[in-house]
Amino acid sequence: MSSTTAEQTTAGAAASPADSAHPIHAAHTPSGTIRLGVFFQGVNSSTAWRAPGAGDQVAWESFERLITTAERGVFSAFFLGEGLRLREHQGVPLEFDVAGRPDAQTLLAALASITTDIGLVATQNTTYNDPVDLARRLQSLDLLSDGRAAWNIVTTDNAWTGENFRRGGYVDHAERYEHAEAFVDVARRIWRGEDVDHEGRHYHVRASGRLPRSRQGEPVLFQAGVSPQGRDFAARTADVIFSPFGDLERAIDFRHDIVERTLAAGRSAESVQIFPGAEFILAATDAEAEDKLRWVREQQVGPQQAIALLEQYWGRDLTDYDPDGPLPDVDPLVVESGVTRGAGFQFEKAQELTRAWREEAAQKGLSILEFARSRQGSRGSSFTGSYDSVAEQLAEYARWGAIDGLNITPWLVPGGLDDVVDELVPRLQERGVYPTEYAGTTLRENLGLPALA
């Protein structure tokens, strides 16, 4: 079987800018195709949980419907995050957004039993897991799913999360990828059945891998950090990067940079695939999609959420401010935003950021509520338009080879993929830039990654 017919692949590549001189990097060959994955967020305001049709964020029926819809649409992967501590606002759990994720590996093991082709990606932290234990659990998922498991490698160094593990911030920020690389090395040796005797700065391990290898050899490795250290780590280690750079210009820059780093690490230019996060707002016409976008934003962000968003960066109570009025004219009390609302909030320089936000809101005539809604959207990018116009946009991405796929965060659970699968996917297949069937039985095959030795 093939993920895209030969005729379709040829048609997709025919218009590729790579035919004469590759516009991104001479060493990289675009595939001319694009793939899709789905990220069941389970936290934050990206999911409109108050909207009509919204389901329970932790009910089995929600996960079942979303993953079976994705598999019907030949999605490459179903992606779950990891929640090591409930998000907080002013010292208490945040009640305005979705909060609380089930354990990823337990859930994916159950979902493996009702699916046959789609990949199963578990986000797991190298800071608060033990390498042998995690390696064994991931390998078990890979065996149970017959070669469809993947590990999204994340690192954490903040003491706030560490309080839940009696360790505080025991890994220095500068050392987090050094720690992670040793962790991944141990895991891989366990998967390959080796005897491991590791003595490093953070742990000592003596263990042996005793489970058989799965059909794909070992879990596919995802990575999401885009700092210079994170990019180098991905270039040396990962198969797929979950990036925040979904707009075409930044996607091209990121691809060029990753190709350079991957070649420097001694790997081929196609060794690391790139899947930015994305949100799709689709309708029959562009105008209808714009109207739908405004409605979705109203469902995602209400007045209380807008004030809470600003309080995270101002570091002070702003409840006396009118959500329909201008942004606060007072300075923040914090120098740098923290992590208690999630990684997306941390390390922002509060003074500079809030000053820039005030200027932007004033120039655009936006109230607090309107401004907060304007900041909403996927970490990577939002694709808003008619089914045909978004299909054309994605075909252009495929021709450039800027990305290999998109990891979609549905704005609605569990029905948020229905229009993507029923309307967009067929249009992408007609344009020859999307798989018409699964290429094989393993995630590695379905992503087009090289087989392991």
Side-chain angles (χ1 to χ4, degrees):
M1 292 187 291
S2 63
S3 59
T4 305
T5 65
E7 293 77 12
Q8 287 171 329
T9 301
T10 301
S16 169
D19 283 348
S20 54
H22 196 307
I24 299 179
H25 199 290
H28 180 260
T29 303
S31 68
T33 60
I34 197 165
R35 295 179 174 83
L36 297 176
V38 56
F39 183 8
F40 192 121
Q41 286 270 0
V43 296
N44 72 43
S45 59
S46 60
T47 303
W49 61 276
R50 294 186 181 89
D56 190 325
Q57 298 291 314
V58 295
W60 168 254
E61 291 75 15
S62 297
F63 294 102
E64 180 182 36
R65 177 172 170 186
L66 203 65
I67 196 169
T68 54
T69 302
E71 191 167 59
R72 179 165 59 83
V74 202
F75 276 40
S76 297
F78 183 84
F79 188 106
L80 288 177
E82 183 182 47
L84 299 179
R85 181 166 178 169
L86 281 179
R87 297 184 178 193
E88 295 179 3
H89 182 65
Q90 297 179 338
V92 296
L94 181 67
E95 296 180 340
F96 304 139
D97 293 342
V98 178
R101 291 164 161 152
D103 174 68
Q105 288 190 62
T106 303
L107 185 55
L108 291 174
L111 292 171
S113 69
I114 61 167
T115 54
T116 56
D117 298 301
I118 193 168
L120 307 164
V121 189
T123 299
Q124 300 285 279
N125 200 296
T126 57
T127 306
Y128 301 115
N129 280 289
D130 291 313
V132 175
D133 175 56
L134 181 59
R136 186 166 179 267
R137 286 187 281 124
L138 286 167
Q139 192 170 20
S140 298
L141 178 62
D142 206 25
L143 287 165
L144 286 172
S145 64
D146 201 17
R148 292 187 285 135
W151 172 20
N152 179 39
I153 306 162
V154 294
T155 65
T156 300
D157 56 73
N158 69 79
W160 178 76
T161 303
E163 287 176 358
N164 268 4
F165 300 88
R166 296 181 295 175
R167 294 179 180 177
Y170 83 98
V171 176
D172 185 81
H173 186 71
E175 296 179 2
R176 66 194 190 286
Y177 284 114
E178 175 189 335
H179 176 276
E181 200 149 354
F183 191 114
V184 173
D185 178 65
V186 169
R188 277 184 153 162
R189 293 172 63 188
I190 292 293
W191 293 338
R192 293 167 186 173
E194 299 179 11
D195 295 326
V196 179
D197 187 354
H198 170 87
E199 291 197 11
R201 295 185 59 184
H202 302 290
Y203 51 83
H204 298 172
V205 173
R206 289 184 181 176
S208 300
R210 288 293 179 264
L211 289 174
R213 302 185 78 179
S214 75
R215 195 185 296 270
Q216 69 173 351
E218 56 194 50
V220 172
L221 298 182
F222 281 61
Q223 194 269 344
V226 292
S227 67
Q229 296 88 349
R231 296 182 190 207
D232 282 336
F233 173 68
R236 290 192 296 268
T237 308
D239 300 303
V240 183
I241 298 177
F242 177 30
S243 93
F245 307 123
D247 61 280
L248 186 56
E249 182 177 355
R250 290 195 302 165
I252 288 173
D253 290 343
F254 188 65
R255 167 71 84 187
H256 184 275
D257 182 70
I258 291 301
V259 169
E260 288 281 301
R261 293 174 191 267
T262 304
L263 293 173
R267 304 174 72 192
S268 75
E270 291 78 25
S271 297
V272 181
Q273 298 195 354
I274 301 173
F275 273 60
E279 174 192 60
F280 283 9
I281 308 292
L282 305 173
T285 68
D286 288 339
E288 289 177 27
E290 288 297 332
D291 289 342
K292 184 176 178 180
L293 174 63
R294 282 189 285 275
W295 181 82
V296 169
R297 293 290 181 261
E298 291 172 2
Q299 304 303 309
Q300 291 172 322
V301 181
Q304 288 180 308
Q305 290 164 300
I307 293 294
L309 170 70
L310 267 57
E311 286 178 337
Q312 193 66 28
Y313 296 101
W314 262 262
R316 60 197 305 167
D317 183 358
L318 299 175
T319 51
D320 288 339
Y321 284 83
D322 181 359
D324 293 317
L327 268 64
D329 54 0
V330 295
D331 288 330
L333 294 180
V334 296
V335 175
E336 189 175 85
S337 59
V339 72
T340 57
R341 284 280 301 278
F345 288 84
Q346 65 181 331
F347 303 138
E348 293 285 2
K349 294 180 179 178
Q351 291 281 355
E352 293 88 337
L353 180 74
T354 56
R355 187 181 307 118
W357 279 9
R358 270 198 297 265
E359 293 173 359
E360 179 184 342
Q363 289 173 356
K364 296 179 178 177
L366 299 178
S367 67
I368 289 175
L369 183 55
E370 292 168 330
F371 182 79
R373 287 172 175 166
S374 75
R375 312 304 297 184
Q376 186 67 23
S378 169
R379 185 168 173 247
S381 60
S382 293
F383 293 84
T384 300
S386 71
Y387 309 124
D388 284 306
S389 61
V390 172
E392 277 302 306
Q393 191 177 357
L394 296 186
E396 182 69 5
Y397 277 67
R399 285 190 284 269
W400 277 84
I403 60 176
D404 299 284
L406 290 162
N407 204 16
I408 301 173
T409 293
W411 63 268
L412 183 67
V413 168
L417 286 184
D418 292 356
D419 55 0
V420 176
V421 170
D422 295 334
E423 301 291 347
L424 179 62
V425 163
R427 287 167 170 81
L428 293 173
Q429 290 170 331
E430 289 169 3
R431 288 163 173 79
V433 297
Y434 189 81
T436 55
E437 59 186 355
Y438 283 100
T441 62
T442 70
L443 176 57
R444 194 171 296 278
E445 289 172 318
N446 291 325
L447 288 172
L449 293 168
L452 297 177

